[in-house]
Amino acid sequence: MQDKNNKPANQLENAGRREFMGKTALLGAGAVAAPMSAAMFASMAKAQAAEASNSPVVHPGELDEYYGFWSGGHSGEVRIMGLPSMRELMRIPVFNIDSATGWGITNESKAVKGESAHLMAGDAHHPHMSMQDGRYDGKYLFINDKANTRVARIRCDVMKTDKMITIPNAQAIHGLRVQKVPYTKYVICNGEFEVPLNNNGKETLEDVSTYRSLFNVIDAEKMEVAFQVMVDGNLDNTDADYDGKYFASTCYNSEMGMNLSEMITAERDHVVIFNLARCEAAVKAGKFKTYNGNKIPVLDGRKGSDLTRYIPVPKSPHGLNTSPSGKYFVANGKLSPTVSIISIEKLDDLFDDKIKPRDAIVGEPELGLGPLHTAFDNKGYAYTTLFLDSQIAKWNVEEAIQAYQGKKVNYLRQKLDVHYQPGHNHTSQGETRDADGKWLVSLCKFSKDRFLPVGPLRPENDQLIDISGDEMKLVHDGPTFAEPHDCIIVHRSKLKPKKLWTRDDPLFADTVAMAEKDGVRLMMDNKVIRDGNKVRVYMTSVAPNYGMSEFKVKLGDEVTVVVTNLDQVEDVTHGFCMTNHGVQMEIGPQATASVTFIADKPGVQWYYCNWFCHALHMEMRGRMLVEA
Ligand code: K7E
Ligand code: CUA
């Protein structure tokens, strides 16, 4: 809570509080006729002051105002944070395998992972929530896996991954956002790496002119690729407008270079603008091709196509962010000290060929070295991470536009040191119409000297910055494990997570159907069903007991254990672990979960509950008797 260049957070808070109380006292003296008791006055002023001073202090037992959804980078997961406390509230395993919950081990999670269930790793970058009319709707969170070209969906009512798809034809899904308006019909994401369209190893491998990157448009409800658009150059980050008309993506390799020096030769790369209505019409009219033996419509959006426009911007741009006013796309220059402001209002004219691509640029403010991502508040300010300078630049968007028109204005307001090398940043609700200008998080890639040394591998540093005043103030250092790439900050009023599972949840519907076929009533029965060398063991759990304290199988049987947690008590999660079999899982209250393994060890094998549930949690165990 303390920083070299800033006062400790509690001092900041107290300073704000004193100031506010002073003003309130003056106001109160003039405006309130009836006398107020000193105690009444003090407690009222204190409550107001805490709110007004945007205090980062969340006392024990108090709840945070915001949920943060953090990507876990190459940990492959998503983390739920509380803001402003920066407490980690939960982890949602997605592309990783999770020992605690059994994600990637249970039958239900393997079914969600589908064709990629065998993959153990992932690289989760960009978590973004579904929207209605440009505001979070609290329904889904979507996230990409750059490592394995996947996109997953998390259901925010239970905070579990419920869909996962591998994107055909493309390679390495990177930038991902959602359609904001009128609602999230589509999830959009970029295939970053260029590959031959029919990437089957039979056609040319070396001829780079046949390589393409694809822009991917996914039906958010069905979680299927609706269509893809091939482009010139590659694709990095992306965002959507607030009109439901355009998507924009940055390209850092317009050169189609295959090594570093080739990729950074051009002074300008570009932003591709996609025209949604024209793309949908082209799909309807059958103006597409298919590749790799699948049926996904691939549109040709290369230069000259009426589906896209290419706006040149300097140099190897990275982040692409839409201002919450809905007026601008901002492309962050990375190798250029500038960001490029694209007027969304001008895009109609651009697609009608009434203006040239560069005419859509209305500002190109110089901010510092290595601009990567930009976030926004509700007062017309933008906050850009400067990777090389280890700073965040606060700048005024309209003044940057005036400066581009030749007016003498200083659009730069402040540069704040962050520690160190920030990648993404994000403001509270800043990618929606509800941007509220209270908090900014800077996800710093390096922490160096900020924490106790923990060996050569260091944590990253997620810093919380108060942006409610004229000046940005650093109020918290948060060490995190590899590697939050990106985050969003969602007001708690947007989310209503369930406290218990409901029995009709689709996440375990297949297991319920299997039990029905076996004639097992999951909420009542404890039963072993033998089906050749397959054995299905159905048991209930109520703290501190499994419904079955022993069952018998033969060596080599394929055993499926199905546990239904009858507890209806909030927070009473049970586990199931079969000792020495590498098998464990979570069974939430009122949920059913199952796991399949081979009984490959003879003799007595104990199973036990590994989620602490009761004073007699240690006694919650039973025996699998394996006959040789
Ligand atoms: Cu590293 Cu959004 Cu994948 Cu920028 S991305 S830093
Ligand atoms: Cu059930 Cu611990």
Side-chain angles (χ1 to χ4, degrees), residues 603-615:
V604 175
Q605 311 290 338
W606 283 93
Y607 53 91
Y608 72 97
C609 173
N610 50 6
W611 281 79
F612 210 107
C613 56
H614 193 274

Side-chain angles (χ1 to χ4, degrees), residues 505-628:
D505 198 289
L507 276 171
F508 45 81
D510 287 353
T511 313
V512 171
M514 179 178 80
E516 265 166 28
K517 257 172 112 185
D518 278 342
V520 172
R521 296 159 299 174
L522 283 174
M523 298 296 282
M524 309 174 70
D525 296 343
N526 289 281
K527 236 181 188 172
V528 178
I529 307 278
R530 177 168 284 279
D531 172 5
N533 66 345
K534 292 190 161 99
V535 180
R536 291 186 285 281
V537 181
Y538 293 93
M539 66 173 90
T540 56
S541 69
V542 180
N545 261 305
Y546 292 115
M548 199 182 273
S549 58
E550 60 174 83
F551 64 89
K552 199 178 269 181
V553 299
K554 294 198 176 69
L555 188 63
D557 280 345
E558 182 196 286
V559 180
T560 298
V561 173
V562 181
V563 183
T564 299
N565 183 354
L566 303 186
D567 276 308
Q568 291 211 47
V569 184
E570 252 180 64
D571 209 3
V572 178
T573 295
H574 295 290
F576 178 88
C577 168
M578 182 60 75
T579 314
N580 293 340
H581 286 73
V583 156
Q584 52 192 33
M585 63 181 178
E586 157 214 2
I587 313 108
Q590 293 286 297
T592 293
S594 72
V595 66
T596 299
F597 57 93
I598 304 294
D600 55 4
K601 294 183 177 64
V604 175
Q605 311 290 338
W606 283 93
Y607 53 91
Y608 72 97
C609 173
N610 50 6
W611 281 79
F612 210 107
C613 56
H614 193 274
L616 296 173
H617 159 79
M618 302 305 294
E619 287 83 350
M620 188 165 173
R621 58 190 173 114
R623 286 169 303 155
M624 176 172 73
L625 309 173
V626 185
E627 289 178 331

